[in-house]
Amino acid sequence: MNCKVKNMISVLIKLYPIVPIILLVVTILLIFNCKNKINRYNECVGTITGFYENTAETRLGSYENKAISPIVTYSVDGKSYEFIGKYYSTTMKVGNEIKVMYDKDDVSKATIKTGLYFAPIITGALTLLFILPIIIYIILKNKGIINF
């Protein structure tokens, strides 16, 4: 293998661990955010009353992508509140009941409970995907299969 190519690969191998480290930090911050919300928020049941379609469309060639979010209504102490959820699933239908978490200090601030865990799961999975090649590299290097 060319010395210049080998040096470039060596530099990339040394810089590669930065990606999973950043992802791990982001995952940890998201987990702490979830734990904070769980401690600071109360849980209730809300109802999907409709869906909000984001009018800012993304067009990629002939493909059109619209963001859809559920409109959720919930009640606390006899007073109704409404918010647009950040989590959407194709199984959601108007009239479905859904778990809602609302801020104890400001009951008008709410989120869909299921969506609360979505971001840390995604970043955690990406962290594992980026760590896997590092583990494979270490194993292959220790077995003498690769030498850079």
Side-chain angles (χ1 to χ4, degrees), residues 9-120:
I9 291 172
S10 180
V11 168
L12 287 174
I13 288 171
K14 289 174 184 165
L15 292 176
Y16 183 83
I18 293 172
V19 175
I21 289 170
I22 291 170
L23 283 169
L24 182 62
V25 169
V26 169
T27 301
I28 291 168
L29 291 173
L30 289 169
I31 288 170
F32 278 118
N33 185 40
C34 285
K35 287 184 70 117
N36 267 347
K37 280 189 177 179
I38 288 169
N39 292 334
R40 216 177 63 237
Y41 281 38
N42 285 335
E43 188 176 322
C44 69
V45 176
T47 304
I48 297 174
T49 57
F51 292 94
Y52 172 76
E53 253 185 52
N54 189 347
T55 55
E57 299 173 1
T58 305
R59 293 180 188 261
L60 300 170
S62 62
Y63 178 73
E64 188 177 291
N65 183 24
K66 291 182 182 181
I68 299 172
S69 302
I71 300 169
V72 181
T73 302
Y74 63 101
S75 294
V76 177
D77 297 328
K79 186 173 179 187
S80 288
Y81 299 90
E82 184 176 80
F83 71 98
I84 296 173
K86 294 179 183 174
Y87 171 79
Y88 171 74
S89 168
T90 55
T91 60
M92 292 178 170
K93 306 283 183 246
V94 172
N96 284 7
E97 288 189 340
I98 191 165
K99 289 183 182 177
V100 172
M101 295 191 69
Y102 63 90
D103 193 325
K104 292 175 189 174
D105 298 327
D106 183 358
V107 294
S108 66
K109 289 183 182 177
T111 187
I112 297 170
K113 185 176 182 180
T114 306
L116 190 64
Y117 309 107
F118 191 66

Side-chain angles (χ1 to χ4, degrees), residues 108-140:
S108 66
K109 289 183 182 177
T111 187
I112 297 170
K113 185 176 182 180
T114 306
L116 190 64
Y117 309 107
F118 191 66
I121 289 170
I122 296 297
T123 57
L126 285 171
T127 302
L128 292 174
L129 280 174
F130 274 91
I131 287 175
L132 188 62
I134 294 170
I135 293 168
I136 292 170
Y137 170 78
I138 291 168
I139 291 169
L140 293 176

